[in-house]
Amino acid sequence: MIGVFDSGLGGLCALCEIHRLLPRESTVFLADRENAPYGERSESELIRLVSRDTERLALSGADRILVGCCTACTVLDKIPRELSELCTSIIEPTVREALSLTATGRIAVLCTEATKRSRIYERTALSIMPSAEAVTYAAGGLVRLVEGGMSDACIDDGGRERLSSVLSGLNLAGCDTLILGCTHFSHLERTLGDVLSIRTVSAARAGAEYFSKIIMKKSRGS
Ligand code: DGL
C-alpha cells in the first residue's frame, strides 16, 4: 500500500496525482494538522514529526511512502534509516523538471521558511547543474490562505489581493520558471501562474509523477 503524508491540505495534491496515475493502487493518507504548519518548525521538531508520520504510515501497512510535503523532505536524511528507506522525496524530480524547462538557468522557488532555511533547493539544483541558480522565497502566508480554503476553484478579487500582498517581496528578475516548492501552493497553481506571469512547476505533481514511474517499473519487474 502507498502512503502519502503532509502537514495538511498540500499532500492531497500529491495524493490526487497518485490516484490519477496509479488508479489500481491502495493508498493511505496522513495529514498532521495538529502540528501544522510544518514550515514554522525547527529542524529538531521536524525530525520528530516526520519520524512519527512515517512510522504511523508504516504501521498502517504502507510499504512505500511518497512524502507529499517539501518541508518534511528537508529532514528525510535525519530520520531513522528503516523509515527513510520507505520514503521518496519530491525535491529532486521537481528541480530536474524545472531545470529541463528553464532557458535562463535561474529558477525561483516559492517554499516555506523551514525549506528556505535548509537550502535544499539550492543544493539540489547545483548538484544537477553546476551553472544553475535557485532563488528561494519563503511564503508561509500562502499555506494559511490555502488552509483557510483558498484555491484556484475558489478565489475572488479580495483573495487575489491577499495573495498579491503575501507575494509583494517576490523578485523574479531573470527567472523564467517558478517551482511551487510547497505542496500547498499547488492548490493555487493556475492563479499563481496568472498573477506572476511565469511558468510554474508543481512539486506535488512532479514528485508524484516520479514516484509513479518507480512503482510502475517495480510492478513490471516483479
Ligand atoms: N505542504 C508542506 C510543504 O510542502 C508545508 C506546509 C506547512 O508549512 O505545514 O512544505
Coordinates of all heavy atoms in Angstrom, one line a residue, residues 101-188:
L101 N 13.3 22.8 -18.1 CA 12.5 23.8 -18.8 C 13.1 25.2 -18.9 O 12.8 26.0 -19.8 CB 11.1 24.0 -18.0 CG 10.2 22.7 -18.0 CD1 9.1 22.9 -17.0 CD2 9.7 22.5 -19.4
T102 N 14.0 25.5 -18.0 CA 14.5 26.9 -17.9 C 15.5 27.2 -19.1 O 16.3 26.3 -19.4 CB 15.2 27.2 -16.6 OG1 15.7 28.5 -16.6 CG2 16.3 26.3 -16.3
A103 N 15.3 28.4 -19.6 CA 16.3 28.8 -20.6 C 17.4 29.7 -20.0 O 18.5 29.8 -20.5 CB 15.6 29.6 -21.7
T104 N 17.0 30.3 -18.9 CA 18.0 31.3 -18.2 C 18.9 30.6 -17.2 O 19.9 31.1 -16.9 CB 17.2 32.4 -17.5 OG1 16.4 31.7 -16.4 CG2 16.3 33.2 -18.4
G105 N 18.5 29.4 -16.8 CA 19.3 28.7 -15.8 C 19.1 29.2 -14.4 O 19.7 28.8 -13.4
R106 N 18.2 30.2 -14.3 CA 17.9 30.8 -13.0 C 16.4 30.5 -12.6 O 15.5 31.0 -13.4 CB 18.1 32.3 -13.1 CG 18.0 33.1 -11.8 CD 18.5 34.5 -12.0 NE 17.9 35.5 -11.1 CZ 18.4 35.8 -9.9 NH1 19.6 35.3 -9.6 NH2 17.8 36.6 -9.1
I107 N 16.2 29.7 -11.6 CA 14.8 29.3 -11.3 C 14.5 29.9 -9.9 O 15.3 30.0 -9.0 CB 14.6 27.8 -11.3 CG1 15.6 27.1 -10.3 CG2 14.8 27.2 -12.7 CD1 15.4 25.6 -10.2
A108 N 13.2 30.2 -9.8 CA 12.7 30.7 -8.5 C 12.0 29.6 -7.8 O 11.4 28.7 -8.4 CB 11.8 31.9 -8.7
V109 N 12.0 29.7 -6.4 CA 11.3 28.6 -5.7 C 10.5 29.3 -4.6 O 11.0 30.1 -3.8 CB 12.3 27.7 -5.0 CG1 11.6 26.6 -4.2 CG2 13.3 27.1 -5.9
L110 N 9.2 29.0 -4.6 CA 8.3 29.5 -3.5 C 8.2 28.4 -2.5 O 7.8 27.3 -2.9 CB 7.0 29.8 -4.2 CG 6.1 31.0 -3.7 CD1 6.9 32.3 -3.6 CD2 4.9 31.1 -4.6
C111 N 8.5 28.6 -1.3 CA 8.5 27.5 -0.3 C 8.2 28.0 1.1 O 7.9 29.2 1.3 CB 9.9 26.8 -0.3 SG 11.3 27.9 0.1
T112 N 8.3 27.1 2.1 CA 8.1 27.5 3.5 C 9.4 28.1 4.0 O 10.5 27.9 3.5 CB 7.6 26.4 4.3 OG1 8.7 25.4 4.4 CG2 6.4 25.7 3.8
E113 N 9.3 28.7 5.2 CA 10.5 29.2 5.9 C 11.5 28.1 6.2 O 12.7 28.3 6.0 CB 10.0 29.9 7.2 CG 11.0 30.8 7.9 CD 11.6 31.8 6.9 OE1 10.9 32.7 6.4 OE2 12.9 31.8 6.8
A114 N 11.0 27.0 6.7 CA 11.9 25.9 7.1 C 12.6 25.3 5.8 O 13.8 24.9 5.9 CB 11.2 24.7 7.7
T115 N 11.9 25.2 4.7 CA 12.5 24.7 3.5 C 13.6 25.7 3.0 O 14.7 25.3 2.6 CB 11.5 24.5 2.4 OG1 10.5 23.6 2.9 CG2 12.1 24.0 1.1
K116 N 13.3 27.0 3.1 CA 14.3 28.0 2.7 C 15.5 27.9 3.5 O 16.6 27.9 3.0 CB 13.7 29.4 2.8 CG 14.6 30.5 2.3 CD 13.9 31.9 2.4 CE 14.9 33.0 2.3 NZ 15.6 33.1 1.0
R117 N 15.3 27.8 4.8 CA 16.4 27.7 5.8 C 17.4 26.5 5.4 O 18.6 26.6 5.6 CB 15.8 27.5 7.2 CG 16.8 27.6 8.3 CD 16.1 27.4 9.6 NE 15.4 26.1 9.7 CZ 14.2 25.8 10.2 NH1 13.5 26.8 10.8 NH2 13.7 24.6 10.3
S118 N 16.7 25.4 5.0 CA 17.5 24.2 4.7 C 18.4 24.3 3.5 O 19.3 23.5 3.3 CB 16.6 23.0 4.5 OG 16.0 23.1 3.2
R119 N 18.1 25.2 2.6 CA 18.8 25.4 1.3 C 18.7 24.2 0.4 O 19.6 24.0 -0.4 CB 20.2 25.9 1.5 CG 20.3 27.2 2.3 CD 21.7 27.8 2.4 NE 22.3 28.0 1.1 CZ 22.1 29.0 0.3 NH1 21.2 30.0 0.7 NH2 22.7 29.2 -0.9
I120 N 17.7 23.3 0.6 CA 17.7 22.0 -0.1 C 17.5 22.3 -1.6 O 18.1 21.6 -2.4 CB 16.6 21.1 0.4 CG1 16.8 19.7 -0.1 CG2 15.2 21.6 0.1 CD1 16.0 18.6 0.6
Y121 N 16.7 23.3 -2.0 CA 16.5 23.5 -3.4 C 17.8 24.0 -4.1 O 18.2 23.6 -5.2 CB 15.4 24.5 -3.7 CG 14.0 23.8 -3.6 CD1 13.2 24.0 -2.5 CD2 13.6 23.0 -4.6 CE1 12.0 23.3 -2.4 CE2 12.3 22.4 -4.6 CZ 11.6 22.5 -3.5 OH 10.3 21.9 -3.4
E122 N 18.5 24.9 -3.4 CA 19.8 25.5 -4.0 C 20.8 24.3 -4.1 O 21.4 24.2 -5.2 CB 20.4 26.5 -3.0 CG 19.6 27.8 -3.0 CD 18.6 27.9 -1.8 OE1 18.0 26.8 -1.5 OE2 18.4 28.9 -1.2
R123 N 20.9 23.5 -3.1 CA 21.9 22.4 -3.1 C 21.6 21.4 -4.2 O 22.4 20.9 -5.0 CB 22.0 21.7 -1.8 CG 22.7 22.5 -0.7 CD 22.9 21.7 0.6 NE 21.7 21.8 1.4 CZ 21.0 20.8 1.8 NH1 21.3 19.5 1.4 NH2 19.9 20.9 2.6
T124 N 20.3 21.1 -4.3 CA 19.8 20.1 -5.3 C 20.1 20.6 -6.8 O 20.6 19.9 -7.6 CB 18.4 19.7 -5.1 OG1 18.2 19.3 -3.8 CG2 17.9 18.6 -6.1
A125 N 19.7 21.9 -7.0 CA 19.9 22.5 -8.3 C 21.4 22.5 -8.7 O 21.8 22.1 -9.8 CB 19.4 23.9 -8.3
L126 N 22.2 22.8 -7.8 CA 23.7 22.9 -8.1 C 24.2 21.5 -8.3 O 25.1 21.3 -9.2 CB 24.5 23.5 -6.9 CG 24.5 25.0 -6.8 CD1 25.2 25.5 -5.6 CD2 25.1 25.6 -8.1
S127 N 23.7 20.5 -7.6 CA 24.2 19.1 -7.8 C 23.8 18.6 -9.2 O 24.5 17.7 -9.8 CB 23.7 18.2 -6.7 OG 22.4 17.9 -6.9
I128 N 22.7 19.1 -9.7 CA 22.2 18.6 -11.0 C 22.9 19.4 -12.2 O 23.3 18.9 -13.2 CB 20.7 18.7 -11.1 CG1 20.0 17.8 -10.1 CG2 20.2 18.3 -12.5 CD1 18.5 18.0 -9.9
M129 N 23.0 20.7 -11.9 CA 23.5 21.6 -13.0 C 24.4 22.7 -12.3 O 23.8 23.6 -11.7 CB 22.3 22.2 -13.7 CG 22.7 23.0 -15.0 SD 21.4 24.0 -15.7 CE 20.4 22.8 -16.5
P130 N 25.7 22.5 -12.3 CA 26.5 23.4 -11.5 C 26.4 24.9 -11.9 O 26.7 25.8 -11.1 CB 27.9 22.9 -11.8 CG 27.7 21.5 -12.2 CD 26.4 21.4 -12.8
S131 N 25.9 25.2 -13.1 CA 25.7 26.6 -13.5 C 24.4 27.1 -13.1 O 24.1 28.3 -13.3 CB 25.9 26.7 -15.0 OG 24.9 25.9 -15.7
A132 N 23.5 26.3 -12.6 CA 22.1 26.7 -12.3 C 22.1 27.6 -11.0 O 22.9 27.4 -10.1 CB 21.2 25.5 -12.1
E133 N 21.1 28.4 -10.9 CA 20.9 29.2 -9.7 C 19.4 29.0 -9.3 O 18.5 29.2 -10.1 CB 21.2 30.6 -10.0 CG 21.4 31.4 -8.7 CD 21.6 32.9 -9.0 OE1 21.8 33.3 -10.2 OE2 21.6 33.7 -8.0
A134 N 19.2 28.7 -8.0 CA 17.8 28.6 -7.5 C 17.7 29.7 -6.4 O 18.5 29.8 -5.5 CB 17.6 27.3 -6.8
V135 N 16.7 30.6 -6.6 CA 16.4 31.7 -5.7 C 15.2 31.3 -4.9 O 14.1 31.2 -5.5 CB 16.2 33.0 -6.5 CG1 16.1 34.2 -5.6 CG2 17.2 33.2 -7.6
T136 N 15.3 31.2 -3.6 CA 14.2 30.8 -2.8 C 13.5 31.9 -2.1 O 14.1 32.9 -1.7 CB 14.6 29.7 -1.8 OG1 15.6 30.2 -0.9 CG2 15.0 28.4 -2.4
Y137 N 12.2 31.8 -2.0 CA 11.4 32.9 -1.4 C 10.4 32.2 -0.4 O 9.6 31.3 -0.9 CB 10.7 33.7 -2.4 CG 9.9 34.8 -1.9 CD1 10.4 36.0 -1.5 CD2 8.5 34.6 -1.7 CE1 9.7 37.0 -0.9 CE2 7.7 35.7 -1.2 CZ 8.3 36.8 -0.8 OH 7.6 37.9 -0.3
A138 N 10.4 32.5 0.9 CA 9.5 31.9 1.8 C 8.2 32.6 1.8 O 8.1 33.8 1.9 CB 10.1 31.9 3.2
A139 N 7.1 31.8 1.6 CA 5.8 32.4 1.6 C 4.8 31.6 2.4 O 3.8 31.0 1.9 CB 5.3 32.5 0.1
G140 N 5.2 31.5 3.7 CA 4.3 30.7 4.6 C 2.9 31.2 4.7 O 2.0 30.5 5.0
G141 N 2.7 32.5 4.4 CA 1.4 33.1 4.4 C 0.4 32.4 3.5 O -0.8 32.3 3.7
L142 N 1.0 31.9 2.4 CA 0.2 31.2 1.4 C -0.4 29.9 2.0 O -1.5 29.4 1.6 CB 1.0 30.8 0.2 CG 1.3 31.9 -0.9 CD1 1.9 31.3 -2.1 CD2 0.0 32.6 -1.3
V143 N 0.4 29.2 2.8 CA 0.0 28.0 3.5 C -1.3 28.3 4.2 O -2.3 27.5 4.1 CB 1.0 27.4 4.4 CG1 0.5 26.2 5.2 CG2 2.3 27.0 3.6
R144 N -1.3 29.4 5.0 CA -2.5 29.7 5.8 C -3.7 30.0 4.9 O -4.8 29.7 5.2 CB -2.2 30.9 6.7 CG -1.2 30.5 7.8 CD -1.0 31.6 8.8 NE 0.1 31.3 9.7 CZ -0.1 30.4 10.7 NH1 -1.2 29.9 11.0 NH2 1.0 30.2 11.5
L145 N -3.5 30.7 3.8 CA -4.6 31.0 2.8 C -5.2 29.8 2.3 O -6.4 29.6 2.2 CB -4.1 31.9 1.7 CG -3.6 33.4 2.1 CD1 -3.2 34.1 0.8 CD2 -4.8 34.1 2.8
V146 N -4.3 28.8 1.9 CA -4.8 27.5 1.4 C -5.6 26.8 2.5 O -6.7 26.2 2.3 CB -3.7 26.7 0.8 CG1 -4.2 25.3 0.5 CG2 -3.2 27.4 -0.5
E147 N -5.0 26.7 3.7 CA -5.7 26.0 4.8 C -7.0 26.7 5.1 O -8.0 26.1 5.6 CB -4.8 25.9 6.0 CG -3.7 24.9 5.9 CD -4.1 23.5 5.9 OE1 -5.2 23.2 6.5 OE2 -3.4 22.6 5.4
G148 N -7.1 28.0 4.8 CA -8.3 28.7 5.0 C -9.4 28.6 3.9 O -10.4 29.1 4.0
G149 N -9.0 27.8 2.9 CA -10.0 27.4 1.9 C -9.7 28.1 0.5 O -10.5 27.9 -0.4
M150 N -8.6 28.8 0.4 CA -8.4 29.4 -0.9 C -7.8 28.4 -1.9 O -6.9 27.6 -1.5 CB -7.4 30.6 -0.7 CG -7.2 31.4 -2.0 SD -6.0 32.7 -1.8 CE -6.9 34.0 -0.9
S151 N -8.3 28.4 -3.1 CA -7.8 27.5 -4.2 C -8.1 28.2 -5.5 O -8.9 29.1 -5.6 CB -8.5 26.2 -4.1 OG -9.8 26.3 -4.5
D152 N -7.6 27.6 -6.6 CA -7.9 28.1 -7.9 C -9.4 28.1 -8.2 O -9.9 29.0 -8.8 CB -7.2 27.2 -9.0 CG -5.7 27.4 -9.1 OD1 -5.3 28.5 -8.7 OD2 -5.0 26.5 -9.5
A153 N -10.1 27.1 -7.6 CA -11.5 27.0 -7.9 C -12.3 28.0 -7.0 O -13.5 28.1 -7.2 CB -12.0 25.6 -7.6
C154 N -11.7 28.5 -6.0 CA -12.4 29.3 -5.1 C -11.6 30.6 -4.7 O -11.0 30.6 -3.6 CB -12.7 28.4 -3.9 SG -13.7 29.2 -2.6
I155 N -11.5 31.5 -5.6 CA -10.8 32.8 -5.3 C -11.5 33.9 -6.0 O -11.9 33.8 -7.1 CB -9.3 32.6 -5.7 CG1 -8.5 33.9 -5.3 CG2 -9.1 32.4 -7.2 CD1 -7.0 33.7 -5.3
D156 N -11.6 35.0 -5.2 CA -12.3 36.2 -5.7 C -11.3 37.3 -5.8 O -10.1 37.2 -5.5 CB -13.5 36.5 -4.9 CG -13.1 36.7 -3.4 OD1 -11.9 36.8 -3.1 OD2 -14.1 36.7 -2.6
D157 N -11.7 38.5 -6.1 CA -10.8 39.7 -6.2 C -10.1 40.0 -4.9 O -8.9 40.3 -4.8 CB -11.6 40.9 -6.7 CG -12.0 40.8 -8.1 OD1 -11.4 39.9 -8.8 OD2 -12.8 41.6 -8.6
G158 N -10.9 39.8 -3.8 CA -10.3 40.1 -2.4 C -9.2 39.0 -2.2 O -8.1 39.4 -1.6
G159 N -9.4 37.8 -2.6 CA -8.4 36.7 -2.4 C -7.2 37.0 -3.2 O -6.0 36.9 -2.7
R160 N -7.4 37.5 -4.4 CA -6.2 37.8 -5.3 C -5.4 38.9 -4.7 O -4.2 38.9 -4.7 CB -6.7 38.3 -6.7 CG -7.0 37.1 -7.6 CD -7.6 37.6 -8.9 NE -8.0 36.5 -9.6 CZ -7.3 35.8 -10.5 NH1 -6.1 36.1 -10.8 NH2 -7.8 34.7 -11.1
E161 N -6.1 39.9 -4.0 CA -5.4 41.0 -3.4 C -4.5 40.5 -2.2 O -3.4 40.8 -2.0 CB -6.3 42.0 -2.8 CG -6.4 43.3 -3.7 CD -7.6 44.2 -3.3 OE1 -7.7 44.4 -2.1 OE2 -8.3 44.6 -4.2
R162 N -5.1 39.6 -1.4 CA -4.4 39.0 -0.3 C -3.2 38.2 -0.8 O -2.1 38.3 -0.2 CB -5.3 38.1 0.6 CG -6.0 38.9 1.7 CD -6.9 38.0 2.5 NE -8.0 37.6 1.8 CZ -8.7 36.5 1.9 NH1 -8.4 35.6 2.8 NH2 -9.8 36.2 1.2
L163 N -3.4 37.5 -1.9 CA -2.3 36.7 -2.5 C -1.2 37.6 -2.9 O 0.0 37.4 -2.6 CB -2.9 36.0 -3.7 CG -2.1 34.9 -4.3 CD1 -2.1 33.7 -3.4 CD2 -2.7 34.5 -5.6
S164 N -1.5 38.7 -3.6 CA -0.5 39.7 -4.1 C 0.2 40.3 -2.9 O 1.4 40.5 -3.0 CB -1.2 40.8 -4.9 OG -1.9 40.2 -5.9
S165 N -0.5 40.5 -1.8 CA 0.3 41.2 -0.7 C 1.2 40.2 0.0 O 2.3 40.5 0.4 CB -0.7 41.8 0.3 OG -1.0 41.0 1.4
V166 N 0.9 38.9 0.0 CA 1.8 37.9 0.6 C 3.0 37.8 -0.4 O 4.2 37.5 0.1 CB 1.1 36.5 0.7 CG1 2.1 35.4 1.0 CG2 0.0 36.5 1.7
L167 N 2.8 38.0 -1.7 CA 3.9 37.8 -2.6 C 4.6 39.1 -3.0 O 5.5 39.2 -3.9 CB 3.4 37.2 -3.9 CG 2.8 35.8 -3.7 CD1 2.1 35.4 -5.0 CD2 3.8 34.8 -3.3
S168 N 4.3 40.2 -2.2 CA 4.8 41.5 -2.7 C 6.3 41.6 -2.7 O 6.9 42.4 -3.5 CB 4.2 42.6 -1.8 OG 4.6 42.4 -0.5
G169 N 7.1 40.9 -1.9 CA 8.5 41.0 -1.9 C 9.2 40.0 -2.9 O 10.4 40.0 -2.9
L170 N 8.4 39.3 -3.6 CA 9.0 38.3 -4.5 C 9.6 39.0 -5.7 O 9.0 39.8 -6.4 CB 7.9 37.4 -5.0 CG 8.2 36.3 -6.0 CD1 9.2 35.3 -5.3 CD2 6.9 35.5 -6.4
N171 N 10.9 38.7 -5.9 CA 11.6 39.3 -7.1 C 12.0 38.1 -8.1 O 12.8 37.3 -7.7 CB 12.9 40.0 -6.5 CG 13.7 40.6 -7.7 OD1 13.3 40.5 -8.8 ND2 14.8 41.2 -7.3
L172 N 11.4 38.2 -9.2 CA 11.6 37.1 -10.2 C 12.6 37.5 -11.3 O 12.6 36.8 -12.3 CB 10.2 36.7 -10.8 CG 9.2 36.0 -9.8 CD1 7.9 35.8 -10.5 CD2 9.7 34.7 -9.3
A173 N 13.3 38.5 -11.0 CA 14.2 39.0 -12.1 C 15.1 37.9 -12.6 O 15.8 37.2 -11.8 CB 15.1 40.2 -11.5
G174 N 15.1 37.7 -13.9 CA 16.0 36.8 -14.6 C 15.5 35.3 -14.5 O 16.1 34.4 -15.0
C175 N 14.4 35.1 -13.8 CA 13.8 33.7 -13.6 C 12.7 33.5 -14.7 O 11.9 34.4 -14.9 CB 13.2 33.5 -12.2 SG 14.4 33.8 -10.9
D176 N 12.7 32.4 -15.3 CA 11.7 32.1 -16.2 C 10.8 30.9 -15.8 O 9.9 30.5 -16.5 CB 12.2 31.8 -17.6 CG 13.2 30.6 -17.7 OD1 13.5 30.0 -16.6 OD2 13.7 30.2 -18.8
T177 N 11.1 30.3 -14.6 CA 10.4 29.2 -14.1 C 10.3 29.3 -12.6 O 11.3 29.7 -11.9 CB 11.2 27.9 -14.5 OG1 11.5 27.9 -15.9 CG2 10.5 26.6 -14.1
L178 N 9.1 29.0 -12.1 CA 8.9 29.1 -10.6 C 8.5 27.7 -10.1 O 7.4 27.2 -10.5 CB 7.8 30.1 -10.4 CG 7.3 30.2 -8.9 CD1 8.4 30.8 -8.0 CD2 6.0 31.0 -8.8
I179 N 9.3 27.2 -9.2 CA 8.9 26.0 -8.5 C 7.9 26.3 -7.4 O 8.2 27.1 -6.6 CB 10.1 25.2 -8.0 CG1 11.0 24.7 -9.1 CG2 9.7 24.1 -7.0 CD1 12.2 23.9 -8.6
L180 N 6.8 25.6 -7.4 CA 5.9 25.7 -6.3 C 6.4 24.6 -5.3 O 6.0 23.5 -5.3 CB 4.4 25.4 -6.7 CG 3.9 26.3 -7.8 CD1 2.4 26.0 -8.1 CD2 4.1 27.8 -7.5
G181 N 7.4 25.1 -4.5 CA 8.1 24.2 -3.6 C 7.6 23.9 -2.3 O 8.3 23.7 -1.3
C182 N 6.3 24.0 -2.2 CA 5.5 23.6 -1.0 C 4.2 23.1 -1.6 O 3.6 23.8 -2.5 CB 5.2 24.8 -0.1 SG 3.9 24.5 1.1
T183 N 3.8 21.9 -1.2 CA 2.7 21.3 -1.9 C 1.4 22.0 -1.8 O 0.5 21.9 -2.6 CB 2.5 19.8 -1.5 OG1 2.4 19.8 0.0 CG2 3.7 19.0 -1.9
H184 N 1.2 22.8 -0.7 CA 0.0 23.6 -0.5 C -0.2 24.5 -1.7 O -1.3 24.8 -2.1 CB 0.1 24.5 0.7 CG -0.3 23.7 2.0 ND1 0.5 22.7 2.5 CD2 -1.4 23.9 2.8 CE1 -0.1 22.3 3.6 NE2 -1.3 22.9 3.8
F185 N 0.9 25.0 -2.3 CA 0.8 26.0 -3.3 C 0.2 25.5 -4.6 O -0.2 26.2 -5.5 CB 2.2 26.7 -3.6 CG 2.8 27.3 -2.4 CD1 4.2 27.6 -2.3 CD2 2.1 27.5 -1.2 CE1 4.8 28.1 -1.2 CE2 2.7 28.0 0.0 CZ 4.0 28.3 -0.1
S186 N 0.2 24.1 -4.8 CA -0.4 23.6 -6.0 C -1.9 23.8 -6.0 O -2.5 23.8 -7.1 CB -0.1 22.1 -6.0 OG 1.3 21.9 -6.1
H187 N -2.5 24.1 -4.9 CA -3.9 24.4 -4.9 C -4.2 25.7 -5.6 O -5.3 26.1 -5.9 CB -4.5 24.5 -3.5 CG -4.6 23.1 -2.8 ND1 -5.7 22.2 -3.2 CD2 -3.9 22.5 -1.9 CE1 -5.6 21.1 -2.4 NE2 -4.5 21.3 -1.7
L188 N -3.1 26.5 -5.8 CA -3.2 27.9 -6.4 C -2.4 28.0 -7.6 O -2.0 29.0 -8.1 CB -2.8 28.9 -5.4 CG -3.7 29.2 -4.2 CD1 -3.0 29.9 -3.1 CD2 -5.0 29.9 -4.7

